[in-house]
Amino acid sequence: MSTVTIKRLHTYRNLSSAVLAFTLLSSALAYSQVHKFGHWSYDGDEGPSYWGDLSLDFAKCKNGHHQSPIDIRSPHKADLPPIRFEYKPSPLRIIDNGHTIMINYAPGSSIRVGDKQYALRQFHFHRPSEEKINGKTYEMVLHLVHADQDGKLAVVAVLLESGKDNPLIKELWNDFPKEKEKEERLDTITINAANLLPVDPSYYTFSGSLTTPPCSENVTWFVLKHPVTVTVEEIERFAKLYRHDARPTQPLYDRVVLESK
C-alpha cells in the first residue's frame, strides 16, 4: 500500500470520526435543550417573538410550520398504541440552566410506543403550561425528553395542576441548585420519573418542535390527557425562580392531532 493511499485512509477515518462526533453532539444539544450558541429569554427583545431574528440557527422559530407548543382542539380519536413507560431509578443530577430546572437522567430508562423505543434523557419544567387543552392553561407542565437510536426526539408532556402534594416534586424542589448552569450530582438521592406520571396514560399526539431555540422540528409529542397534582406551595417555590418560562402556543397549520381511545 502506497504512502498516498495510507494518508487518504487516515484522512477518511478522521473525517468519518468527525462526522460521527458532530452527529452525536447535535443530538445531545437537541435533547438537552441547553443551547450555548445564542442568547434568548422569555421576555423583552430576546423573548419568543424575536427568537427567529436572534440567530440564523433559530430560523425555525419564525418560519417553521410544525412548531410547539399548540392549543389542542378537536383532536381525532384513533386506535393508537399505548405508551409503555419503562422508567427505572436514577441518581439525581439536577441543574438550573438559566431557563428552567432540569434533571439529567441516567441511561436505561425508556418509553415504547408500538415498535418504537425512545430513551429518557432528561426532564424539565415550564410555568405556566406551554400546551393548552381547548384553550385551558395549566399551572405548570413537565417535559420528559427522549431520543431514539437515530437521535429523533419524542417528548412526553405531563400537565400539572394545584392539588395534593407530589413527593418527588417536593424532593426536587428541596434540592434546587445554588448556582446556575452547574449540575449538582447527588448520588445519595435516587429518583424515579415514573412517580411523575398519571395513573391513566392516555394521550394526544402530533408532530412538533422543541419549544426553545433553535425550535428544531420533527419532534414527536405525546401530551398526556390527565394532569398530575402539585401543591400551591410547590408551584410558588418554582415561581420564585421562574415566574414565566413558557413559549406561547403556535399555529397548527396542516397538522392533525390524534387522541388515543
Side-chain angles (χ1 to χ4, degrees), residues 136 138 140 158-162 196-200 224-229:
K136 179 179 178 178
Y138 288 78
M140 293 182 65
V158 181
L159 300 164
L160 305 178
E161 64 180 5
S162 59
L196 297 170
L197 301 173
V199 175
D200 183 348
L224 302 191
K225 293 162 62 175
H226 300 281
V228 168
T229 61

Side-chain angles (χ1 to χ4, degrees), residues 195-215:
N195 295 328
L196 297 170
L197 301 173
V199 175
D200 183 348
S202 55
Y203 62 93
Y204 306 102
T205 185
F206 56 92
S207 177
S209 72
L210 299 179
T211 65
T212 62
C215 307

Side-chain angles (χ1 to χ4, degrees), residues 18 22 41-42 51 67 72 86 94 100 130 155 173 195 200 207-208 215 219 225 244 261:
F22 177 78
S41 70
Y42 285 101
W51 286 351
Q67 289 289 293
I72 297 173
E86 299 173 354
I94 187 168
T100 187
E130 296 193 301
V155 182
W173 274 209
N195 295 328
D200 183 348
S207 177
C215 307
V219 176
K225 293 162 62 175
H244 187 281
K261 293 183 178 179

Side-chain angles (χ1 to χ4, degrees), residues 50-194:
Y50 302 98
W51 286 351
D53 300 315
L54 296 177
S55 168
L56 292 176
D57 296 309
F58 299 172
K60 282 290 184 182
C61 301
K62 179 170 64 174
N63 58 34
H65 280 202
H66 285 180
Q67 289 289 293
S68 297
I70 62 171
D71 184 354
I72 297 173
R73 297 174 181 266
S74 304
H76 296 259
K77 288 203 172 185
D79 290 320
L80 300 174
I83 303 174
R84 301 193 183 280
F85 292 92
E86 299 173 354
Y87 289 168
K88 299 176 181 178
S90 167
L92 181 57
R93 304 284 188 267
I94 187 168
I95 183 171
D96 180 342
N97 66 18
H99 300 293
T100 187
I101 297 297
M102 184 173 74
I103 289 79
N104 292 315
Y105 217 76
S109 294
S110 63
I111 59 171
R112 290 182 182 272
V113 186
D115 60 355
K116 296 181 179 179
Q117 182 178 22
Y118 302 90
L120 176 62
R121 303 302 191 189
Q122 55 98 336
F123 62 86
H124 60 268
F125 300 85
H126 296 275
R127 182 184 185 278
S129 69
E130 296 193 301
E131 300 74 21
K132 294 182 180 180
I133 310 295
N134 292 317
K136 179 179 178 178
T137 301
Y138 288 78
E139 296 282 358
M140 293 182 65
V141 68
L142 158 70
H143 286 168
L144 296 132
V145 183
H146 308 73
D148 69 10
Q149 60 183 3
D150 297 319
K152 295 180 180 178
L153 302 181
V155 182
V156 174
V158 181
L159 300 164
L160 305 178
E161 64 180 5
S162 59
K164 294 182 179 179
D165 173 67
N166 184 296
L168 179 48
I169 295 291
K170 184 177 181 180
E171 176 63 49
L172 295 176
W173 274 209
N174 287 336
D175 298 314
F176 278 160
K178 297 178 178 60
E179 298 180 46
K180 290 186 183 294
E181 300 185 10
K182 182 179 179 181
E183 182 187 68
E184 294 198 6
R185 304 169 69 88
L186 305 175
D187 293 326
T188 59
I189 299 175
T190 300
I191 63 170
N192 193 330

